[in-house]
């Protein structure tokens, strides 16, 4: 920077006058990561590997006893100082003892091991290292002493026992090894310890000793796996009877164990190998009856495979049924309120035909009552009861059981909140099939009293009518109408009953009471039934009166058309041409009256007016010689297609096509309005003569 002219190659600009030039900033052009990433750990590792030999610490060479003594003194002092600082560090003690061993000073090494054990005798690593040092240097008695002390102080550390026994076995001291095993077995170790003892005896062909150890083993660990090992041991030695005895003892003790499935499968496979297929089949069936279905999946699979191999057609079907039964049991166990699974399960059992089992499944199914008293939860459940009752009646033939099922079901339903008419009717029909009419009436009467429903009333009335009890039917209709006075179906059926009995006045009175009700569910059907009744009686004056009364209540298009059609067809048996002419005149008056009403009181109902004119035209055509279509044709409208603006659900505005009707009188009115507008325009443009 002291020179006047900077070096451009160094990135500096030349300084002129008083202008100071700053260094040019560097820019990184490629910012992508390198393909090979280098870490700090990699750098340190490579530095250690590439370290040259001349900078490594030199190895010390000892040439005389004095230097050796100094080295040992210095090394021992380092170990002792380290032990004083970290007394509980086991690795320091092990390194100290191994160093003394490397110096062949075994007494000092033993002293270090003993001092370490005084610090932490529960650390089995110290015992293992200590004993391995003694064995490596062939101090057998010392090693045996260490092992003996170790297993005495730490009897639950299996590794110490294994090492001790392994040493004795290598030395050929079989009796000593057996003695160590016996000491170990007195502490009741886990299964692996017992199995090691058995393998030890079998290595020296001591089969009887191994059998005795197995007996002690299954007494110490009465588990399925222990018995299976024992039985396989006997089978391997050709003792079939002893092996079967072991399995039988296991079944007596462990039939209810969680691992019982494994035991039964092993027992059945053993019998298969012994060519005892019947014994194996009995074992499978016994197991399937005693083991819960949720833990018998493998058992079912084995049983099906067994039956396919050894069974006949019936046996194979039983096995398949058993497998499906297991599936259904698993489904109903996971969700007991899934009634479809119960139905499938019941159908399966019904195909087998075991009555006791079918009843058991039905009882288990109906015990799962829906948790909430809402009808939608009960609609599927109630069919379980219905199917149960039908099974008892039709398949089992148990009349009393069927009656009990219906009775319990009716008790269970909360009739104050909801009820099921079908269950009342099925119970009553069952009693009728048993020729017990009194109980059937009592059931239906209870249904009407506790939970009245239209289906119950209809069926009860139908039963009484079939029996010819007219008075009972009338009383039931009266109760029906007291309970539901707005029910037009009941009124119509009641009047129909009276008419079938030729009680015309009673039927007419019922119709009058019906149309006088303040609220009706389907009044059009009731009025139609009343009008049809009067027409069937041939009383046209009453029919016209009814139509007039109906038109006072409603001016619906169908009423006008029906009235006009009635007038057009209201002919006596001996009606002549004059009467036909009178009928067409009356029909025309009705059409004209309807047209005037739609034109004046409801001008917006153009489509209805067009339909009325179309019907009038058809009526005139049907009269042939007596009709006059020229009365209607001038009144027919023109059908015009138009467009109008509509707003869609998305809030958008669009165009919609629709049909409109233009009637002749509207056309004339439109023409008059155009002429008037033209006259006013002309009057405005031309000045009047008065003004001139």
């Amino acid at each position: 920077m002291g020179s006047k002219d900077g070096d451009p190659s160094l990135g500096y600009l030349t300084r002129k006058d008083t202008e100071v030039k700053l260094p040019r900033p560097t820019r990184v052009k490629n910012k992508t990561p390198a393909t090979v990433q280098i870490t700090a750990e990699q750098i340190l590792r490579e530095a250690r590997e590439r370290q040259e030999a001349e900078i490594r610490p030199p190895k010390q060479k000892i040439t005389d006893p004095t230097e050796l003594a100094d080295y040992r003194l210095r090394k021992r002092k380092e170990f002792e100082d380290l032990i004083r600082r970290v007394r509980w560090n086991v690795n320091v003690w092990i390194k100290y003892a191994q160093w003394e061993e490397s110096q062949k000073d075994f007494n000092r090494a033993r002293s270090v091991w003993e001092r370490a054990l005084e610090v932490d005798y529960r650390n089995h690593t110290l015992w293992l290292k200590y004993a391995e040092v003694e064995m490596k240097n062939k101090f057998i008695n010392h090693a045996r002493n260490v092992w003996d002390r170790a297993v005495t102080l730490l009897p639950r550390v299996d590794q110490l026992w294994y090492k001790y026994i392994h040493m004795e076995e290598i030395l050929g001291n079989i009796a000593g090894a057996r003695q160590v095993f016996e000491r170990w077995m007195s502490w009741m170790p886990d299964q692996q310890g017992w199995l090691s003892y058995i393998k030890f005896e079998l290595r020296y062909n001591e089969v009887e000793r191994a059998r005795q150890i197995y007996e002690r083993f299954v007494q110490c660990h009465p588990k399925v796996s222990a018995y299976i090992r024992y039985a396989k041991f006997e089978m391997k030695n050709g003792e079939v009877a002893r092996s079967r005895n072991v399995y039988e003892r296991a079944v007596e003790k462990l039939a209810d164990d969680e691992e019982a499935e494994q035991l039964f499968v092993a027992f059945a496979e053993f019998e298969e190998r012994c060519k005892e297929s019947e014994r194996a089949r009995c074992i499978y069936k016994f197991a399937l009856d005693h083991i819960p279905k949720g833990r018998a999946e493998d058992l079912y699979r084995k049983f099906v495979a067994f039956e396919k191999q050894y069974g006949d057609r019936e046996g194979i079907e039983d096995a398949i049924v058993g497998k499906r039964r297991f599936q259904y049991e698993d489904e109903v166990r996971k969700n007991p309120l899934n009634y479809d699974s119960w139905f499938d399960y019941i159908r399966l059992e019904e195909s087998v035909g075991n009555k006791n089992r079918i009843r058991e499944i039905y009882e288990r199914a109906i015990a799962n009552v829906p948790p909430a008293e809402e009808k939608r939860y009960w609609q599927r459940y109630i069919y379980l009861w219905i199917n149960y009752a039908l099974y008892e009646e039709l398949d089992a033939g148990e009349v009393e059981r069927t009656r009990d099922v219906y009775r319990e079901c009716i008790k269970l339903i909360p009739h104050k909140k909801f009820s099921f008419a079908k269950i009342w009717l099925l119970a009553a029909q069952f009693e009728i099939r048993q020729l017990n009419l009194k109980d059937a009436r009592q059931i239906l009467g209870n249904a009407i009293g506790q939970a009245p429903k239209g289906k119950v009333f209809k069926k009860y009335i139908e039963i009484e009518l079939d029996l010819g009890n007219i008075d009972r039917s009338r009383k039931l209709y009266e109760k029906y109408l007291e309970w539901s006075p707005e029910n037009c179906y009941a009124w119509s059926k009641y009047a129909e009953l009276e008419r079938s009995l030729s009680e015309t006045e009673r039927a007419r009175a019922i119709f009058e009471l019906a149309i006088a009700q303040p609220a009706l569910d389907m009044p059009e059907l009731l009025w139609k039934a009343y009008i049809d009744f009067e027409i069937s009686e041939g009383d046209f004056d009453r029919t016209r009166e009814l139509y007039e009364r109906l038109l006072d209540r409603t001016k619906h298009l169908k009423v006008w058309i029906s009235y006009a059609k009635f007038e057009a067809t209201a002919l006596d048996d001996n009606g002549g041409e004059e009467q036909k002419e009178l009928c067409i005149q009356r029909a025309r008056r009705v059409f004209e009256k309807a047209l005037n009403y739609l034109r004046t009181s409801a001008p917006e109902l153009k489509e209805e007016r067009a339909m009325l004119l179309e019907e009038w035209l058809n009526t005139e055509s049907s009269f042939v010689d007596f009709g006059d279509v020229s009365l209607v044709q001038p009144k027919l409208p023109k059908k015009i297609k138009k467009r109008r603006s509509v707003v869609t659900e998305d809030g958008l505005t669009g165009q919609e096509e629709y049909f409109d009707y233009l009637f002749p009188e509207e056309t004339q009115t439109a023409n008059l309005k155009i002429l008037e507008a033209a006259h006013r325009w002309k009057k405005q443009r031309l000045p009047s003569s008065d003004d001139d």
Side-chain angles (χ1 to χ4, degrees), residues 139-324:
F139 298 114
I140 303 303
N141 288 331
H142 282 284
R144 189 175 283 126
N145 183 26
V146 173
W147 288 125
D148 190 71
R149 289 164 58 198
V151 297
T152 303
L153 293 173
L154 303 173
R156 294 298 180 188
V157 181
D158 295 344
Q159 193 175 7
L160 298 175
W161 292 103
Y162 284 126
K163 292 285 187 180
Y164 190 6
I165 294 165
H166 181 63
M167 184 193 77
E168 296 292 356
E169 196 171 358
I170 288 176
L171 295 172
N173 187 10
I174 306 305
R178 186 176 289 116
Q179 187 178 2
V180 175
F181 264 122
E182 288 295 333
R183 287 177 59 190
W184 188 14
M185 296 305 108
S186 64
W187 288 95
M188 295 184 179
D190 57 4
Q191 293 191 24
Q192 194 58 42
W194 289 94
L195 295 175
S196 299
Y197 191 8
I198 292 167
K199 289 178 182 178
F200 167 77
E201 295 293 355
L202 292 176
R203 279 198 296 271
Y204 301 101
N205 296 322
E206 295 288 345
V207 178
E208 190 60 35
R209 284 181 178 272
R211 183 175 289 116
Q212 293 175 3
I213 297 168
Y214 262 120
E215 287 291 340
R216 294 162 58 192
F217 173 39
V218 296
Q219 290 177 6
C220 180
H221 296 284
K223 295 183 178 179
V224 170
S225 58
Y227 276 101
I228 291 176
R229 285 180 180 274
Y230 187 11
K232 287 182 178 180
F233 160 76
E234 296 290 2
M235 187 65 182
K236 187 176 181 180
N237 289 281
E239 298 289 342
V240 177
R242 286 179 181 271
S243 180
R244 184 177 288 116
N245 185 29
V246 172
Y247 277 120
E248 290 173 354
R249 287 162 53 194
V251 170
E252 289 178 2
K253 290 185 177 181
L254 304 174
D256 298 329
D257 192 80
E258 291 184 357
E259 298 179 352
E261 179 191 11
Q262 185 180 356
L263 173 62
F264 284 113
V265 170
F267 193 5
E269 289 178 347
F270 160 76
E271 296 292 354
E272 286 183 52
R273 287 192 294 271
C274 296
K275 309 299 181 182
E276 295 285 349
S277 58
E278 286 301 321
R279 281 178 174 268
R281 183 176 288 106
C282 292
I283 292 168
Y284 277 123
K285 291 184 177 180
F286 177 82
L288 293 174
D289 291 338
H290 286 78
I291 295 179
K293 302 300 182 293
R295 302 202 304 262
E297 184 175 358
D298 187 52
L299 187 65
Y300 273 111
R301 189 173 64 254
K302 296 282 186 181
F303 182 40
V304 172
F306 168 79
E307 287 293 347
K308 288 180 180 179
Q309 185 176 0
Y310 298 100
D312 52 5
R313 180 177 179 180
E314 184 178 356
I316 294 172
E317 289 178 355
D318 290 342
I320 294 173
V321 167
K323 185 176 181 180
R324 291 175 60 193

Side-chain angles (χ1 to χ4, degrees), residues 80 83 92-94 96-97 100 107-117:
E80 291 294 340
I83 285 170
V92 175
W93 288 103
I94 293 174
Y96 190 8
E100 292 290 356
N107 290 328
R108 284 183 177 275
R110 290 190 188 99
S111 175
V112 174
W113 286 117
E114 294 295 335
R115 288 167 61 195
L117 291 173

Side-chain angles (χ1 to χ4, degrees), residues 336-348:
L337 296 178
N338 186 1
Y339 301 119
D340 290 332
S341 298
W342 285 111
F343 282 119
D344 295 337
Y345 195 2
I346 290 166
R347 279 194 289 269
L348 173 66

